[in-house]
Amino acid sequence: MAISFDRHRRLRTSAGMRDLVRENHVRLEDLIYPLFVVEGTNVKEEIPSMPGVYHFSLDRLREELDEIASLGIKSLMMFGVPEHKDACGSEAYNDNAITQQAIRQIKEAYPDMVVIADTCLCQYTDHGHCGVLHEGEIDNDESLKLLVATAVSQAKAGADIIAPSNMMDGFVAAIREGLDEAGFVHVPIMSYSVKYASSFYGPFRDAAHSTPKSGDRKTYQMDPANAREGLREAASDVAEGADFLMVKPGLAFMDMVLRLRESFDLPLVVYNVSAEYSMVKAASANGWINEQQIVMETLLGFKRAGADLIITYHAKDVAKWLRGE
């Protein structure tokens, strides 16, 4: 008597067959590469906890831009690291500060490159928090005023997208109003909608020099245990005028990528954050894993969960792998 069962393996019989029925793909256009620019001259300095990722001064920025463009990467996430820091993060909204200078330089060299400006105060404040401190507490509404000024300054410099990462309540509404009033109605907002108070940010804080000098960010970034709260955060951002939604970090929170994909139809971004990158690099350096296979599998996981775009420090390597190098 013949046993009846499904033969799913028919669609896995060869590489060609597997390619034919593959459901998700990582494309070059999906990748956003983070870039760190610092003050000074002749600076190209590898970030110790992030092998292959560098600080660049403005006079060395062009060589990095040329490489990025040669690889076909079309989008950058811009982080500036100033020398001067103060309590209100004034360099964040200084039209001639390091971030604004870098944005102008990128757009002059590569006008078609999409420049996404991270809009926060943490790397600009002397206390390392993402807003204004009053008696040790974050003043949400006073912080919004400075974040609006920062977004407008970044848009004036030529940023194509404003990406507020501060997690203040009402930040999308405030920035949208500020951009519109300043004549930047065409500039979209990529909101860090679901951003957790995560341990996966450690190497980034080395890169951005943004570790808080006291306390932590748990009163404004989300508790990693919470999922329904993330949907409320995203819903508020949609109502306030966000054009993109983001989940950060990515790897431990793919369920949130799926939840947002099922709930909203805006373009969805996932941030493959610094510790996710550095752990892969460390394991690969020790010969414990195949770096290319692990990275591509991770990025496919993001796409399968519903992400449209991926911010990743692996972008340059992935670009090379996609073209067979």
Side-chain angles (χ1 to χ4, degrees):
M1 180 178 176
I3 300 173
S4 176
F5 53 85
D6 295 324
R7 294 194 177 273
H8 300 289
R9 290 178 56 196
R10 289 175 182 147
L11 302 184
R12 306 173 196 152
T13 53
S14 67
M17 182 68 76
R18 293 190 294 275
D19 286 345
L20 185 67
V21 299
R22 183 160 290 130
E23 298 175 21
N24 292 282
H25 299 81
V26 175
R27 308 174 308 145
L28 197 56
E29 293 81 5
D30 302 332
L31 306 178
I32 300 168
Y33 185 58
L35 192 60
F36 296 93
V37 179
V38 298
E39 297 188 52
T41 57
N42 197 32
V43 177
K44 180 183 178 181
E45 184 177 74
E46 190 172 38
I47 298 162
S49 57
M50 298 177 70
V53 179
Y54 293 82
H55 286 133
F56 289 92
S57 54
L58 289 174
D59 59 317
R60 298 287 301 271
L61 181 58
R62 181 59 185 263
E63 62 192 76
E64 177 72 347
L65 295 176
D66 290 346
E67 181 184 7
I68 291 166
S70 72
L71 292 170
I73 295 170
K74 302 177 185 299
S75 302
L76 298 175
M77 175 70 82
M78 186 70 241
F79 296 96
V81 185
E83 287 183 353
H84 172 73
K85 302 189 179 197
D86 55 32
C88 58
S90 60
E91 285 295 280
Y93 42 90
N94 176 355
D95 289 346
N96 292 311
I98 184 67
T99 302
Q100 285 81 347
Q101 290 186 60
I103 293 170
R104 287 194 289 268
Q105 187 169 324
I106 295 167
K107 296 304 290 186
E108 288 171 5
Y110 290 99
D112 294 332
M113 186 78 71
V114 177
V115 178
I116 305 165
D118 177 80
T119 305
C120 196
L121 300 179
C122 59
Q123 66 261 41
Y124 303 96
T125 57
D126 54 13
H127 46 74
H129 280 284
C130 302
V132 179
L133 282 183
H134 283 165
E135 298 181 356
E137 299 291 332
I138 295 290
D139 188 319
N140 190 94
D141 295 4
E142 284 300 310
S143 299
L144 291 179
K145 298 174 185 177
L146 302 185
L147 292 164
V148 170
T150 301
V152 170
S153 180
Q154 292 169 337
K156 285 168 60 179
D160 298 288
I161 299 172
I162 296 300
S165 60
N166 53 87
M167 289 298 285
M168 296 297 113
D169 289 338
F171 68 96
V172 173
I175 290 173
R176 183 72 272 157
E177 182 179 358
L179 289 172
D180 290 354
E181 288 180 352
F184 296 107
V185 295
H186 61 286
V187 175
I189 294 174
M190 179 184 288
S191 173
Y192 286 65
S193 299
V194 182
K195 182 179 179 182
Y196 287 96
S198 172
S199 299
F200 282 91
Y201 304 148
F204 172 86
R205 291 175 181 171
D206 289 341
H209 301 168
S210 61
T211 302
K213 288 189 175 179
S214 63
D216 53 42
R217 295 175 176 152
K218 294 181 180 179
T219 65
Y220 46 103
Q221 295 178 359
M222 284 179 49
D223 185 339
N226 293 354
R228 295 190 301 274
E229 181 185 5
L231 291 176
R232 296 197 299 272
E233 287 275 5
S236 293
D237 290 351
V238 171
E240 292 173 17
D243 300 282
F244 301 78
L245 301 177
M246 187 192 301
V247 174
K248 180 183 181 184
L251 197 57
F253 301 96
M254 280 204 214
D255 67 306
M256 292 309 303
V257 180
L258 179 60
R259 288 168 191 256
L260 263 64
R261 178 75 292 147
E262 292 176 338
S263 301
F264 307 102
D265 61 3
L266 292 179
L268 181 56
V269 187
V270 63
Y271 201 140
N272 181 208
V273 298
S274 57
E276 297 168 3
Y277 170 86
S278 296
M279 289 190 296
V280 170
K281 286 291 185 181
S284 176
N286 279 285
W288 297 337
I289 61 170
N290 181 304
E291 180 178 349
Q292 178 176 346
Q293 291 176 2
I294 290 289
V295 171
M296 295 305 295
E297 190 172 325
T298 299
L299 301 192
L300 276 170
F302 294 144
K303 295 299 296 289
R304 191 183 67 246
D308 299 299
L309 303 170
I310 304 168
I311 304 169
T312 179
Y313 303 98
H314 295 289
K316 291 199 294 185
D317 289 333
V318 172
K320 295 172 185 177
W321 297 334
L322 288 175
R323 64 186 192 183
E325 295 183 15

